[in-house]
């Protein structure tokens, strides 16, 4: 276990060194204010600076730098915003604020376009003017025609080798703050979200070597999401993620949805080929404000008799969760089966699994359960999920079975105590023909539980 963790940390240390070395080669610089804006908008001036210089300094100003169209970042660029500098996307613009020049849509087939190289953004307050989450296709679009259907973000940074993002604040974002995928060597640290309404950092598939550190603030959905598999309205990048560290996260108490989504799954391209959007060698540690870690594939809601988006159960290995405190005072999804304590569908947990994994490790986990109110609340559960809305819509996928080979548990506290027997706090869920109108026989299984309570 410790050897694998050290290998992950070594890989991410090498990533940081590679990125810093490549950025050190960038020398040609300018100040954004060397260019004159056209009227109140800085879009053309900013874009010209990006095209003509490797390093762009953005000085603090009394007013924000207003942008009214998407900015495009070429390779070998470093944007450095002075502390307090504000870059604001006009509320009249429904496009994303910034994207790299080699973006490509991997929804229909794997991306083959040559990648951008060596892009960095440091500092700055990056603002939208959204009063609430506007919804897919209504803000953060790739272009006016929504050519890339799965894009909904302030910044789209994908198909890149070498991406560094530091000391940034995102404010009033109607979609995701950052949307990332098909990237290698990613360093993201010291990121704050203020009054944002969807995911903060939305990581999609085909990513290798990613270190996310020191992320905090208020969002409307996941502070950080690792969605290797995702819905078609939420991603253009599908595939595995390998070598990841996600640490020192603090979700604001005011945030609406206190979950961290980790979604492996099997994705199907237009020609029928599939890819296992797996997660391998990942460490999640020192995370606060989260009630539930969701590690399962989920399709968009659908009506029985109508096929959901094609999907399958994904895989994982060497997944580490450490130094995490959870106050599970209610189910993260206030759906009927959970709030009514349904003995078959009502199980929920701090860690909800629905993947085929070899090794999962939980260490130094402190969870509070409220079993007098929610008797089917657990430290961890595995297996299918189901919830029917009043109109018959199914929220989950009751036909998905999943297995974990080895679950390692060390220094687990339940309501302040280390139990001698951990089994009452782990649930293997099984459905047996739950519905007549939908395939709904499935199970969750943990083959081997290794528990140390010293």
């Amino acid at each position: 276990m410790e050897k694998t963790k050290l290998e992950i940390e070594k890989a991410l240390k090498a990533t940081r060194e590679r990125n810093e070395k490549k950025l050190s080669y960038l020398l040609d610089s300018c100040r954004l204010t060397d260019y004159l804006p056209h009227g109140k908008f800085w879009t053309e001036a900013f874009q010209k600076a990006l095209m003509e210089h490797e390093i762009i300094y953005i000085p603090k100003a009394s007013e924000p730098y207003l942008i009214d169209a998407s900015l495009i970042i070429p390779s070998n660029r470093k944007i450095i915003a002075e502390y307090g500098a504000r870059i604001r996307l006009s509320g009249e613009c429904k496009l994303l604020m910034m994207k790299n020049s080699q973006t490509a849509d991997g929804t229909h087939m794997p991306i083959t376009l040559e990648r951008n190289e060596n892009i960095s953004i440091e500092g700055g307050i990056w603002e939208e003017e959204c009063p609430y989450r506007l919804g897919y296709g209504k803000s953060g679009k790739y272009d006016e025609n929504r050519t890339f259907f799965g894009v909904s973000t302030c910044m789209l940074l994908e198909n890149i080798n070498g991406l560094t993002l530091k000391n940034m604040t995102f404010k009033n974002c109607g979609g995701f703050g950052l949307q990332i995928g098909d990237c290698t060597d990613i360093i993201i640290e010291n990121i704050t979200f203020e009054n944002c309404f969807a995911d903060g950092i939305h990581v999609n598939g085909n990513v290798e070597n990613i270190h996310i550190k020191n992320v905090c603030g208020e969002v409307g959905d996941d502070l950080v999401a690792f969605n290797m598999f995702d819905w078609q309205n939420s991603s253009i990048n599908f595939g595995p993620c390998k070598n990841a560290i996600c640490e020192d996260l603090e979700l604001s108490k005011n945030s609406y949805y206190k979950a961290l989504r980790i979604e492996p799954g099997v994705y199907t391209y237009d020609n029928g080929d599939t890819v296992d959007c797996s997660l391998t060698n990942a460490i999640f540690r020192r995370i606060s404000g989260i009630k539930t870690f969701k590690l399962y594939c989920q399709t968009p809601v659908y009506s029985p008799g109508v096929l959901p988006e094609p999907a399958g159960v994904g895989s994982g290995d060497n997944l580490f969760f450490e130094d995490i405190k959870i106050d599970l005072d209610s189910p993260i999804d206030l759906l009927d089966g959970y709030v009514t304590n349904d003995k078959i569908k009502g199980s929920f947990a701090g860690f909800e699994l629905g993947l085929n994994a070899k090794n999962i490790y939980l260490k130094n986990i402190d969870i509070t359960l409220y079993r007098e109110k929610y008797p089917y609340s657990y430290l961890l559960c595995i297996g299918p999920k189901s919830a029917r809305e009043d109109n018959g819509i199914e929220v989950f996928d009751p036909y998905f079975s999943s297995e974990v080979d080895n679950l390692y548990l060390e220094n687990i506290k339940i309501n302040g105590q280390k139990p001698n027997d951990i089994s009452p706090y782990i649930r293997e869920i099984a459905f047996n023909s739950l519905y007549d109108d939908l395939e709904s026989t499935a199970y969750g299984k943990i083959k081997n539980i290794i528990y140390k309570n010293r």
Side-chain angles (χ1 to χ4, degrees), residues 409-428:
L409 304 165
E410 182 177 352
N411 192 26
I412 307 298
K413 289 184 180 180
I414 310 291
N415 293 9
Q417 303 296 317
K418 296 181 181 180
N420 292 324
D421 182 8
I422 200 67
S423 60
Y425 306 103
I426 296 175
R427 173 77 182 267
E428 296 177 322

Side-chain angles (χ1 to χ4, degrees), residues 177-309:
L178 290 166
Q179 188 169 347
I180 294 168
D182 273 87
C183 288
T184 300
D185 290 354
I186 308 149
I187 301 296
I188 303 174
E189 63 184 21
N190 303 330
I191 308 296
T192 300
F193 294 95
E194 296 182 4
N195 197 41
C196 293
F197 303 106
D199 287 356
I201 302 173
H202 188 82
V203 181
N204 288 127
N206 216 26
V207 167
E208 185 168 0
N209 302 333
I210 177 169
H211 191 173
I212 298 175
K213 182 176 182 178
N214 292 337
V215 180
C216 65
E218 183 178 355
V219 293
D221 208 332
D222 304 292
L223 183 60
V224 177
F226 276 77
N227 287 21
M228 293 70 63
F229 171 92
D230 209 341
W231 302 351
Q232 290 195 357
N233 66 1
S234 305
S235 179
I236 54 172
N237 309 100
F238 302 88
C241 176
K242 181 181 180 182
N243 296 338
I245 297 178
C246 184
E247 60 186 348
D248 301 308
L249 308 188
E250 184 178 356
L251 180 67
S252 166
K253 292 181 180 179
N254 297 325
S255 292
Y256 170 73
Y257 200 66
K258 296 176 173 61
L260 193 151
R261 167 78 71 174
I262 302 167
E263 188 165 9
V266 175
Y267 183 76
T268 302
Y269 292 108
D270 291 358
N271 66 357
D273 289 348
T274 60
V275 58
D276 183 3
C277 305
S278 59
L279 179 61
T280 306
N281 296 347
I283 302 171
F284 297 84
R285 60 192 175 197
R286 298 187 299 275
I287 297 173
S288 65
I290 301 296
K291 293 203 300 187
T292 298
F293 291 78
K294 296 184 166 191
L295 286 83
Y296 54 84
C297 182
Q298 182 181 1
T299 60
V301 298
Y302 57 96
S303 298
V306 177
L307 292 176
E309 285 186 9

Side-chain angles (χ1 to χ4, degrees), residues 166-182:
K166 293 183 178 182
N167 307 325
M168 302 169 67
T169 296
F170 290 82
K171 191 172 182 179
N172 302 327
C173 295
F176 309 139
L178 290 166
Q179 188 169 347
I180 294 168
D182 273 87

